[in-house]
Amino acid sequence: MPEAATRTMGAVDPDTAGVLPDPPDLHRMRVERHARLQTQLGRRGIDAVLLNAGGAVQYAAGPAVVAGDGGRAAHRRTSVLVVAGDHLPHLFTPCPEGAPSGLDADHVHPSLYLESPQGAEAALETVMDLVGSVPARLAADDLSAPMYQAVTRRWATTELVDAARVLGPARVVKTGDELACIRQAQRLNETAMYDVQSTLVDGVRQTDLTGTFLRRVCDLGADANAIDPIWQVMGSRRSDGPFTTNGEVAFPLVTTDRVLHHGDVVWVDSGVQVHGYNSDFGRTWIVGDAPPTAQQTDQFHRWTAVVEAVLDQVRPGATGADLTAAAREVVGGDSPWLSHFYLIHGLGTESAEAPLIGTDAGPEADARLVLEPGMVLVIEPVIWDEGHGGYRAEDIVAVTDDGWVALSDHPYHPFDR
Amino acid sequence: MSPPVQHGSVDVERLGRDRRHACLGAMAAFGLDALVLGREANARYVSGASRLWTVGARPFGPGCVVVAETGAVHLLSTWDDGIPADIDRRHLFGVTWNGAVLAANLAAIPGLASARRIGVDGMSPGIAALLSAVAPEAELIDATGVLAQVRQPKTDDEVATIRAAVGVAESALLAGVEGLRPGVPSKELTGRVAGRMAELGVTIPDPEGTFWTTSPPGGPAGRGLRRPASERPVAGSPVIPTRLPADALVAAHVGVLVDGYQGVVARTWVNPSTVNTPPVVSEARRRLQERWATLWEELLAACRTGATGDDLLTAYRRTGEPLPEGPVAHGVGLGMEPPLVGAGLPDDAGRTTELTEGTVLFVTGQVSEPGVGSVLAGDTVLVTGGGAERLGTLGYGPLAGGD
């Protein structure tokens, strides 16, 4: 894909035909993911991994679920147990009709209830039955407190391992089908945003924008909305926003029914899910289609320059430190991103996952991170001029054999006219 | 910024004070030196904080710490937006991607490092290791039951907020069923629900508006709540059509969170046979609706002070209606909470729980007839000495002779 490396983000359709499967082959994707989890279990001598967090469950099994709040997810759990050596994952779900095709009926079970001592005891029995014995090493992500207490008391010899050790290496590099799912989710999100931006006029409420967005993503067939969409009005100084622990620009703040006014600068952030994969849409908008000031336009140009400098470095073998250095150089040495987040994060069944680049884990962590084909990079620099506000947007690429290919494709209106 | 919907009688500061007082009282009663909370609802209960909502189950993380000795609430938040004014700014700790920084942030919380009994509402192997380094003397105690007990009886402020949430949920459900027509994609109705919610200033669904037919041709009746639209069945499961057929019985399940508090409603409507014609209710469906009404009366009577969750199951037994899949009742507060009662749930999920004054439940009645389908409907109700008080006003639709 030699042409990919020279493509300007968003300027043309990121025609990935021939690069990514279209549509994704969901069965093949699940088979390949399961194989990766099995490889990690075998490599680390782990008997089984029990997964309860939404993104992990999507990766390990990919069931259709009803979207809701965390409390509902805890009491009406969808869980997955992957046993070393098994040809399929075990899915525990309140919605058996949402089990993916290809999952045998003997691998689909009723929901585990992990919020009470009796429920946790029963879950332990179930895990033991399916593993064949008390596991010597059990990986897990989110154990309920009753489950944690039951495991540590009843299975005193079991070594508990964080599921990240299995999941992390399995999912940091995506298969082509996974990339195609992310691209589908992103296109859906971007399509809905055309409708939302067309309603961005004086007097509209933040929640009105949310309503337009949610209706549209449902009509377009998203499986779920992943995050309460953000339409944050940005001031010109940090002190215009709330107190922060790090002195940084406060973002993202929770949406309310605040009324927006002509000329307000709005930082937009949203994410939806398709086949369990997240989109991540980030742009800066101006209410009422007001033309950007010269300063705002300059901020956008600097943001673009940072992204282009980063993309110039993106290829297999480059390190996270190469990317942060390229970004800093454009703006004269400062770090052009929010210090509580990152310059770059990955994207998959989590809305932010590895690789994370530019975090407070420090420059050593960035230097250790080596790009590989199939990694997803959400690049989200922030240009902030104290007294004049700032520009923020996000674009998404996947690392290819010799560069990158765009997974996002959306204009930067009104900055790019 | 104004509150999203009108619930004028609520004193937010009093609500926050009452909750924190109840939580600290329970910590003293159970000898907990500290709480380390990962569940957003528990964190919100004790802190009042409104933080960014994300869908579904998150991995456990220490998002809120309460120390008995100081009575202080410490929150994971990089800013004070959405954080009540009575929480000291110095008690906020920022987002971090560095385990050592997180450990240092926790270690800096006065009273945590020396705690001997730390109540938790979830755990992961990684955080367990981190906590044992921060508080080496501490035993991690399952605080799930304690917190559920504290949260179960609702104050008047809480009931008023839930009532407002139910109003939003009912209005949103109506917006959904107003979109019924032969072949309508169920997701389109989900979108209509979300649109109405947002018009009313509410953006958090729980559950998202869910619509499915309970009279699938050839499919079994008796399926419970919450069926996702799906064309990916396992062997033996019915296909749940993503488009709702003409003349089908359509179940709708809609919930919202308003200021964190839940309102839920479920109804069964009838899809019209053709566009712009009123739905036709057959005699068989009318009889099914009458059976539902009989069951419903029993269920509401069972929601009285001093009863237990088991009395709801008795209502099903007494009317001869088989239990549907999943819970027939769950607690309603800061989202779904105990008690949960129904098929496939352990007894200690709620069957043995006493329904005390101020308990709020979402109760569903469901009746099924082979060849006809299922009628299910449910309401958010307040447990009182005289039985259930409905917190909503929505009628039961065309099956019950309504619009």
Side-chain angles (χ1 to χ4, degrees):
Chain A
M1 297 147 285
E3 80 282 9
T6 56
R7 182 174 291 138
T8 304
M9 292 288 305
V12 293
D13 182 82
D15 177 21
T16 48
V19 181
L20 300 182
D22 189 15
D25 182 332
L26 300 178
H27 180 71
R28 177 176 62 195
M29 177 173 79
R30 288 191 286 264
V31 168
E32 291 182 356
R33 291 188 310 208
H34 183 74
R36 290 182 180 194
L37 289 174
Q38 286 294 346
T39 299
Q40 294 302 325
L41 290 176
R43 189 169 290 167
R44 286 153 215 281
I46 294 170
D47 299 309
V49 56
L50 177 64
L51 300 167
N52 278 306
V57 164
Q58 285 302 324
Y59 187 83
V65 297
V66 173
D69 181 52
R72 178 172 301 275
H75 288 287
R76 304 293 292 148
R77 259 186 202 282
T78 309
S79 317
V80 174
L81 180 74
V82 182
V83 179
D86 200 348
H87 69 296
L88 289 169
H90 287 280
L91 173 67
F92 305 85
T93 175
C95 304
E97 73 280 15
S101 61
L103 200 54
D104 295 343
D106 66 356
H107 279 68
V108 181
H109 310 273
S111 184
L112 298 173
Y113 189 75
L114 305 181
E115 299 305 302
S116 75
Q118 286 175 11
E121 293 283 332
L124 252 60
E125 294 293 325
T126 302
V127 170
M128 199 169 69
D129 283 351
L130 294 174
V131 174
S133 63
V134 172
R137 299 191 85 197
L138 176 68
D141 57 354
D142 181 55
L143 291 167
S144 71
M147 183 81 174
Y148 179 74
Q149 191 141 308
V151 169
T152 50
R153 286 187 182 171
R154 285 203 29 205
W155 291 354
T157 60
T158 297
E159 184 193 350
L160 282 176
V161 180
D162 213 277
R165 283 207 234 160
V166 178
L167 278 169
R171 62 183 178 180
V172 68
V173 168
K174 270 60 180 175
T175 70
D177 294 311
E178 291 185 275
L179 297 177
C181 287
I182 294 169
R183 185 187 55 184
Q184 272 194 359
Q186 187 66 20
R187 281 191 178 166
L188 192 155
N189 191 333
E190 290 170 349
T191 303
M193 283 299 184
Y194 285 104
D195 294 85
V196 179
Q197 196 173 10
S198 73
T199 70
L200 188 70
V201 296
D202 186 75
V204 76
R205 291 177 185 272
Q206 288 180 327
T207 44
D208 295 335
L209 302 177
T210 303
T212 302
F213 178 72
L214 294 180
R215 275 198 75 155
R216 193 74 181 111
V217 298
C218 283
D219 289 347
L220 292 167
D223 289 338
N225 178 51
I227 182 171
D228 191 22
I230 292 142
W231 325 96
Q232 184 177 332
V233 177
M234 303 308 298
S236 58
R237 296 169 206 286
R238 289 181 177 83
S239 57
D240 294 339
F243 161 81
T244 59
T245 57
N246 56 356
E248 180 59 277
V249 178
F251 179 87
L253 302 184
V254 175
T255 288
T256 69
D257 62 347
R258 171 176 180 160
V259 175
L260 305 183
H261 297 292
H262 187 83
D264 281 350
V265 173
V266 178
W267 285 8
V268 178
D269 201 346
S270 76
V272 302
Q273 294 177 344
V274 174
H275 304 309
Y277 285 84
N278 287 274
S279 64
D280 190 355
F281 180 97
R283 285 291 182 269
T284 296
W285 290 349
I286 302 179
V287 177
D289 211 20
T293 64
Q295 177 95 20
Q296 287 167 341
T297 300
D298 185 60
Q299 289 174 347
F300 169 65
H301 288 149
R302 278 179 280 153
W303 180 90
T304 306
V306 170
V307 172
E308 285 176 353
V310 169
L311 287 174
D312 276 347
Q313 299 294 320
V314 172
R315 66 181 66 85
T319 68
D322 295 334
L323 275 50
T324 54
R328 288 192 182 104
E329 193 181 330
V330 173
V331 295
D334 293 339
S335 297
W337 60 90
L338 296 176
S339 59
H340 47 272
F341 288 143
Y342 21 58
L343 171 64
I344 288 169
H345 65 85
L347 185 69
T349 60
E350 309 287 347
S351 56
E353 60 180 54
L356 303 174
I357 299 172
T359 70
D360 68 350
E364 302 79 12
D366 293 331
R368 280 196 302 272
L369 189 279
V370 180
L371 297 190
E372 293 177 53
M375 284 184 173
V376 175
L377 308 178
V378 181
I379 307 168
E380 50 176 67
V382 169
I383 303 296
W384 185 267
D385 299 325
E386 185 68 1
H388 301 276
Y391 185 92
R392 176 189 183 272
E394 306 178 62
D395 277 326
I396 312 174
V397 301
V399 181
T400 61
D401 289 341
D402 57 359
W404 52 269
V405 62
L407 299 181
S408 60
D409 176 32
H410 196 82
Y412 305 90
H413 188 79
F415 295 88
D416 54 355
R417 57 186 167 191
Chain B
M1 288 175 229
S2 57
V5 290
Q6 295 302 313
H7 38 91
S9 62
V10 176
D11 181 332
V12 174
E13 284 178 19
R14 178 177 62 200
L15 174 61
R17 266 197 318 273
D18 288 350
R19 292 189 304 207
R20 198 169 308 164
H21 179 75
C23 187
L24 289 168
M27 288 175 71
F30 288 88
L32 297 176
D33 302 320
L35 285 173
V36 174
L37 304 174
R39 297 284 170 80
E40 194 61 20
N42 286 330
R44 188 157 192 164
Y45 185 86
V46 69
S47 71
S50 167
R51 297 187 288 199
L52 184 63
W53 183 85
T54 56
V55 73
R58 281 186 284 193
F60 180 82
C64 177
V65 177
V66 189
V67 179
E69 188 186 340
T70 60
V73 176
H74 301 257
L75 277 170
L76 174 66
S77 182
T78 309
W79 38 81
D80 65 358
D81 184 74
I83 310 297
D86 64 352
I87 292 186
D88 194 316
R89 284 178 175 179
R90 291 167 301 181
H91 294 169
L92 303 179
F93 53 102
V95 169
T96 179
W97 310 88
N98 184 330
V101 173
L102 177 59
N105 286 343
L106 293 176
I109 292 175
L112 185 60
S114 58
R116 292 187 169 269
R117 286 169 55 84
I118 297 181
V120 297
D121 64 351
M123 196 41 62
S124 70
I127 298 295
L130 187 145
L131 275 179
S132 75
V134 169
E137 304 294 312
E139 181 189 0
L140 301 183
I141 311 281
D142 170 17
T144 306
V146 176
L147 292 162
Q149 272 180 43
V150 170
R151 285 169 50 184
Q152 188 182 336
K154 304 297 183 283
T155 67
D156 291 346
D157 290 321
E158 289 182 294
V159 172
T161 312
I162 292 169
R163 203 185 290 273
V166 172
V168 174
E170 291 185 340
S171 177
L173 184 145
L174 271 183
V177 298
E178 280 163 14
L180 279 170
R181 66 174 188 277
V184 66
S186 61
K187 271 284 175 187
E188 182 182 314
L189 305 185
T190 305
R192 292 177 68 101
V193 166
R196 175 64 62 84
M197 279 167 51
E199 277 172 23
L200 297 169
V202 179
T203 57
I204 311 300
D206 185 52
E208 69 172 357
T210 309
F211 296 82
W212 71 103
T213 171
T214 69
S215 53
R223 292 268 165 184
L225 281 171
R226 292 172 289 275
R227 322 307 292 177
S230 170
E231 287 167 344
R232 295 179 273 174
V234 287
S237 284
V239 174
I240 306 298
T242 54
R243 289 177 176 272
L244 302 172
D247 198 41
L249 292 176
V250 175
H253 185 201
V254 172
V256 303
L257 299 186
V258 171
D259 293 346
Y261 283 92
Q262 190 181 33
V264 206
V265 60
R267 290 290 184 269
T268 301
W269 234 253
V270 182
N271 208 13
S273 302
T274 56
V275 178
N276 293 331
T277 57
V280 179
V281 180
S282 67
E283 188 52 35
R285 286 177 173 179
R286 212 180 302 279
R287 279 198 300 274
L288 199 53
Q289 175 68 24
E290 281 166 13
R291 273 170 54 195
W292 176 85
T294 304
L295 169 65
W296 188 238
E297 209 168 296
E298 290 279 340
L299 284 169
L300 292 188
C303 297
R304 68 184 186 285
T305 311
T308 64
D310 192 53
D311 289 308
L312 291 154
L313 302 182
T314 303
Y316 270 85
R317 277 198 297 275
R318 215 158 34 208
T319 51
E321 303 292 352
L323 278 180
E325 288 178 4
V328 300
H330 68 77
V332 169
L334 289 163
M336 182 188 265
E337 60 183 43
L340 274 81
V341 185
L345 289 159
D347 286 352
D348 65 349
R351 193 170 176 176
T352 54
T353 304
E354 186 184 339
L355 304 182
T356 48
E357 187 82 34
T359 303
V360 178
L361 299 174
F362 174 64
V363 182
T364 52
Q366 179 170 353
V367 294
S368 302
E369 183 69 32
V372 180
S374 298
V375 169
L376 74 87
D379 284 309
T380 303
V381 303
L382 174 67
V383 172
T384 75
E389 179 196 337
R390 278 184 60 195
L391 296 179
T393 58
L394 181 66
Y396 296 91
L399 285 170
D403 292 335

